[in-house]
Amino acid sequence: MTPFLLSVAAAAIPLNGDFEQGNAHWFDRSPMGSDATVQRVTQGTSFGGAFDTTGIVFTSPTHAMLLQNGSFADFTPAIVGSRTFLVTHTTARFQHYEQDASITLTARFDPDIGVAVELGDMVPSVGAFAEGTADLTAWCGVEGALQFSQHGDTVSATPLTLIDDVTVDTICPEYLDGDGDGFCPLGVDLDADGSCEEDNEALARGEAGGDCDDNAPGTYPGAPDIPDDGIDQDCSGGDFVPNCFADLDGDGFGAEPIQGSLGCTAAGESSNADDCDDTRAEARPLAQELCNGLDDDCDGQPETDAPSDAWPDGDGDGYGDQLATPTSVCGPLVDLVDNGDDCNDANMFVNPGAAEAAGDLLDQDCDGSELCFVDADGDSYGSGTEQGPVDCLGYATRGNDCDDTSATVHPNAAEACNNLDDDCDGMTDEGFPAVLYYPDVDGDGFGDEAASLSSCDDPGGDYIEQGGDCDDAEPSVNPGATEVRADGVDQDCDGFEACFVDADGDGYGVLQLGFDPGLTCDVAGLSTTSDDCDDTNADVSPGAVEVQGNGVDDDCDGEIDQPVVLPPGAVTYKGGACDSGAVGGLGWLGLALLPAMRRRRP
């Protein structure tokens, strides 16, 4: 098992598929117009892209192949394929490393260079190299190419894949000389080492043919053939040579009869005699009829229709190569088209009928221009699109700019604390914690709760981080102020007014503290005063009239049963039934009732 280093250097086309160093060379098969990169890298160098991968240690000591897509938003596959080789081993093993777990690697073998056969997805190996295996058993003796392709979902970064240390083992049985006669089923053992895996030995089958029976030492190409024994000793195709037709121009159709091989499959042979001109490969049944006075399609007559120009359509998209010289044809078009409008005949997705993709620097619709992103602020990210030059000079190749008037706002910008969506991700000031600020107009150290401002940066001015002020026009009103009772003002911003308790409901309170959410203290159980000398008796208060002889300070003036002082202008009546000094016509009975009559409640 011989390892080889992946290389992009030009060299001879590999012949035997041994993957030996310097023999199996690789080239980029990524879709045309993509940003994918396929290159050889060396340990200790930066691979580029979104991540620094210089710390990765290759399995082999020198080089590895880097596959990397080039878009942050849309996944673009990167594909590398070997040049054509002849498969002589059953297994190819390789080491692979992937930067992003959402990307998988598929090994494919393409026997016809056009029809890919999946050999299996490789398990993602983020953080370390893992082994992948390609089983080539079914393709022993087939000329084809081995291909590795990234594929996966849309990703938010630029992933990469490394392929390193590709090796092969187990020679295909067809390249082993089982009977020791120097011939293998698919080659000739020129160096007599028992196998035919070397390039020149594998190709020798085209000259001398392969061993048609590797279990019979006497059977091999060129061996003496014993007539009529039913054994094809010389591997010529049988004891009896059938009648074939010479195919001199190699177009698959013969003319003159010859003695040929079994099946008439050898070079220069055909099993049919349908060629009308065996000196021209372009003359054969169903060929394109040209305007040359000759019978090109072997229908027995030369051109039958009026001449018309036709162009080759190399990519099969229905549009001919505009760089090709048109061919004058007479008759229905075969493998040609009636126009030369294709500006890239190697890419079936590029033609006048294709849809133009924005910003990929590829003229898909062949109109000589590209659909570019308008970049008004010059930050290399655009918003709307318009037709521009193919290289988008003066435009942007990337869109998604959420503010094309500001060069500091685009998808690759760093988010800043400025109340803007700098990186166009739909969020503002992410990564910067927001703080509530409050205006403190009256300068009492407490801000207005109702006018708060959320910001990741100090707005300055009167704004502070301490809230709670219920009146930002009055410095004496704030959560730190001392509450004044019964003044109708909530000095400490707790939502209540401090009042005096009026337990007996006579409108006069005591020093006991009570609270009124209405700030008036004019509710049952509360008072604006604290001069009631007995808050358990509604008849005792500063507004009551002193009652004589009850031993109680009814009017809370600090004296008990003091004489009643008549108001100025009172009249005393004497004589008659009321001659006992009646006052104001009430007599002594009225005087006795006077205190009760004058008692009131504020």
Side-chain angles (χ1 to χ4, degrees), residues 209-545:
D211 198 337
C212 54
D213 186 352
D214 203 36
N215 294 316
T219 299
Y220 52 87
D225 194 0
I226 302 174
D228 300 322
D229 65 348
I231 300 175
D232 181 17
Q233 282 93 353
D234 61 0
C235 295
S236 63
D239 255 354
F240 304 98
V241 179
N243 190 23
C244 301
F245 301 91
D247 180 15
L248 302 180
D249 55 15
D251 60 6
F253 297 89
E256 297 298 325
I258 60 173
Q259 297 297 314
S261 64
L262 182 66
C264 302
T265 58
E269 298 177 354
S270 175
S271 60
N272 67 78
D274 299 332
D275 202 335
C276 56
D277 187 346
D278 203 29
T279 63
R280 297 189 301 127
E282 63 271 20
R284 61 187 182 279
L286 302 179
Q288 177 68 60
E289 187 65 50
L290 305 178
C291 296
N292 53 10
L294 302 175
D295 181 13
D296 301 289
D297 58 2
C298 296
D299 63 353
Q301 55 186 347
E303 58 270 13
T304 57
D305 297 324
S308 63
D309 287 340
W311 287 260
D313 179 16
D315 54 15
D317 59 6
Y319 295 87
D321 186 357
Q322 64 180 207
L323 299 179
T325 301
T327 300
S328 181
V329 300
C330 293
L333 298 181
V334 179
D335 298 327
L336 297 171
V337 294
D338 61 359
N339 69 86
D341 300 332
D342 201 335
C343 57
N344 187 343
D345 203 37
N347 188 338
M348 65 180 300
F349 300 105
V350 176
N351 57 67
E356 188 69 32
D360 63 354
L361 306 183
L362 184 64
D363 179 17
Q364 276 94 354
D365 58 5
C366 294
D367 65 351
S369 65
E370 169 64 312
L371 189 63
C372 305
F373 293 96
V374 178
D375 183 16
D377 55 14
D379 59 6
S380 78
Y381 288 86
S383 50
T385 59
E386 67 181 33
Q387 293 298 122
V390 176
D391 61 2
C392 283
L393 184 63
Y395 295 84
T397 59
R398 298 173 290 189
N400 302 322
D401 196 337
C402 55
D403 185 356
D404 206 29
T405 64
S406 174
T408 61
V409 176
H410 53 77
N412 199 34
E415 190 69 23
C417 173
N418 55 9
N419 201 32
L420 297 175
D421 180 12
D422 302 279
D423 56 6
C424 295
D425 63 355
M427 298 181 288
T428 301
D429 297 343
E430 67 271 20
F432 298 90
V435 177
L436 284 177
Y437 294 92
Y438 310 88
D440 181 18
V441 177
D442 57 12
D444 59 5
F446 294 89
D448 186 356
E449 288 278 356
S452 64
L453 171 67
S454 178
S455 175
C456 58
D457 192 17
D458 189 343
D462 294 331
Y463 282 90
I464 61 175
E465 294 186 34
Q466 176 69 48
D469 202 336
C470 55
D471 185 353
D472 201 35
E474 179 54 60
S476 63
V477 176
N478 56 68
T482 301
E483 185 70 25
V484 178
R485 292 200 204 187
D487 65 347
V489 178
D490 179 17
Q491 279 90 356
D492 60 1
C493 294
D494 65 353
F496 297 91
E497 171 66 304
C499 306
F500 301 98
V501 174
D502 178 17
D504 55 13
D506 58 6
Y508 296 89
V510 294
L511 287 175
Q512 185 177 351
L513 187 60
F515 298 94
D516 178 16
L519 306 182
T520 66
C521 297
D522 188 17
V523 294
L526 299 177
S527 173
T528 60
T529 69
S530 60
D531 50 2
D532 198 340
C533 54
D534 186 354
D535 203 34
T536 66
N537 189 344
D539 292 330
V540 177
S541 70
V545 176

Side-chain angles (χ1 to χ4, degrees), residues 58-322:
F58 302 161
T59 304
S60 62
T62 307
H63 296 100
M65 180 66 72
L66 170 67
L67 285 72
Q68 183 173 14
N69 76 327
S71 172
F72 272 78
D74 299 318
F75 177 79
T76 305
I79 305 171
V80 63
S82 72
R83 297 188 181 180
T84 304
F85 64 91
L86 185 67
V87 178
T88 60
H89 289 72
T90 63
T91 304
R93 291 187 175 88
F94 54 93
Q95 300 294 323
H96 64 96
Y97 174 103
E98 295 170 49
Q99 184 71 48
D100 193 308
S102 66
I103 298 301
T104 56
L105 184 69
T106 298
R108 296 146 62 99
F109 182 72
D110 187 347
D112 298 320
I113 316 302
V115 180
V117 179
E118 300 287 348
L119 298 177
D121 289 344
M122 305 300 113
V123 177
S125 54
V126 177
F129 276 87
E131 182 178 275
T133 302
D135 184 0
L136 304 180
T137 304
W139 316 111
C140 285
V142 175
E143 288 189 356
L146 190 63
Q147 177 176 297
F148 300 108
S149 173
Q150 284 181 332
H151 59 90
D153 300 327
T154 300
V155 292
S156 60
T158 306
L160 59 84
T161 301
L162 291 172
I163 302 177
D164 189 28
D165 193 29
V166 181
T167 57
V168 295
D169 61 10
T170 311
I171 299 175
C172 297
E174 295 86 346
Y175 289 98
L176 291 175
D177 182 8
D179 54 16
D181 57 9
F183 290 84
C184 307
L186 292 176
V188 179
D189 185 10
L190 300 179
D191 57 6
D193 66 350
S195 72
C196 304
E197 62 169 326
E198 289 82 7
D199 291 349
N200 56 345
E201 294 176 329
L203 285 183
R205 79 191 195 289
E207 301 173 359
D211 198 337
C212 54
D213 186 352
D214 203 36
N215 294 316
T219 299
Y220 52 87
D225 194 0
I226 302 174
D228 300 322
D229 65 348
I231 300 175
D232 181 17
Q233 282 93 353
D234 61 0
C235 295
S236 63
D239 255 354
F240 304 98
V241 179
N243 190 23
C244 301
F245 301 91
D247 180 15
L248 302 180
D249 55 15
D251 60 6
F253 297 89
E256 297 298 325
I258 60 173
Q259 297 297 314
S261 64
L262 182 66
C264 302
T265 58
E269 298 177 354
S270 175
S271 60
N272 67 78
D274 299 332
D275 202 335
C276 56
D277 187 346
D278 203 29
T279 63
R280 297 189 301 127
E282 63 271 20
R284 61 187 182 279
L286 302 179
Q288 177 68 60
E289 187 65 50
L290 305 178
C291 296
N292 53 10
L294 302 175
D295 181 13
D296 301 289
D297 58 2
C298 296
D299 63 353
Q301 55 186 347
E303 58 270 13
T304 57
D305 297 324
S308 63
D309 287 340
W311 287 260
D313 179 16
D315 54 15
D317 59 6
Y319 295 87
D321 186 357
Q322 64 180 207

Side-chain angles (χ1 to χ4, degrees), residues 9-15 22-25 83-84 199:
I13 296 176
L15 300 178
N23 194 37
H25 300 285
R83 297 188 181 180
T84 304
D199 291 349

